[in-house]
Amino acid sequence: RIAAAVFAALLVVVGASFVRGNLVQYGALLDTIGASRASLAAERAGYQWMRSNLAPDAVVLTRNAAALYLYTGLRAAALPSDFAVLGAAPRTGQNVARDWPERMRRTGARYLYLAASTLEQGDALGALVLALQRDSVLRQVYGNNSVAVLELLN
């Protein structure tokens, strides 16, 4: 009987520890889902703005071309996944802020859609938008805390 009681107590402790660990993971998962939903809501506002304000034949350069097309119906040109955002491009060593307008011209895109959720970890959307507007080649036409739409001026 003593052995059974000890074994039962051990099972309770192990079970409680397992449940506690899963609850912590579940809480973190809920936080992640909440952040993703908030980000998607902000991105959808950007998509809605583009659908309402850009010409139907506008071409938009973005990291997530499929989502942009699905939400707006606009033609989307995709940035390659290894195209750096700030600093220097990893393979070319060129100034990335100057590379984006050239990439837009080559793809025929007049607009650039940026979402904070698609930036490299540590990059801030506001800092990127400022860097891209520095040479007066791009101008922000829409933005919120999570997304920005920039227009190529020349």
Side-chain angles (χ1 to χ4, degrees), residues 4-152:
V6 169
F7 183 70
L10 182 62
L11 281 177
V12 168
V13 168
V14 169
S17 175
F18 178 76
V19 167
R20 182 178 170 269
N22 282 335
L23 287 176
V24 168
Q25 288 179 348
Y26 182 70
L29 179 62
L30 289 179
D31 291 344
T32 301
I33 291 170
S36 293
R37 283 184 176 166
S39 175
L40 180 58
E43 290 179 31
R44 288 174 103 177
Y47 294 142
Q48 175 62 39
W49 183 90
M50 286 188 289
R51 190 172 47 248
S52 299
N53 293 284
L54 300 185
D57 62 345
V59 179
V60 182
L61 185 65
T62 183
R63 289 231 182 213
N64 193 345
L68 190 136
Y69 174 76
L70 287 172
Y71 280 103
T72 67
L74 297 172
R75 281 189 41 211
L79 277 168
S81 60
D82 66 345
F83 194 71
V85 176
L86 290 176
R91 297 198 177 116
T92 64
Q94 297 171 332
N95 182 316
V96 175
R98 290 195 177 97
D99 290 349
W100 286 56
E102 181 55 34
R103 169 105 25 198
M104 291 174 73
R105 288 183 190 97
R106 282 197 312 256
T107 60
R110 183 168 175 199
Y111 297 93
L112 173 63
Y113 177 77
L114 299 170
S117 63
T118 64
L119 300 181
E120 280 83 9
Q121 189 174 15
D123 283 338
L125 181 63
L128 176 57
V129 169
L130 288 174
L132 290 170
Q133 293 183 98
R134 190 169 295 132
D135 294 332
S136 299
V137 177
L138 293 167
R139 163 179 71 101
Q140 185 173 355
V141 292
Y142 174 83
N144 61 34
N145 290 336
S146 297
V147 300
V149 178
L150 293 101
E151 180 180 17
L152 183 63

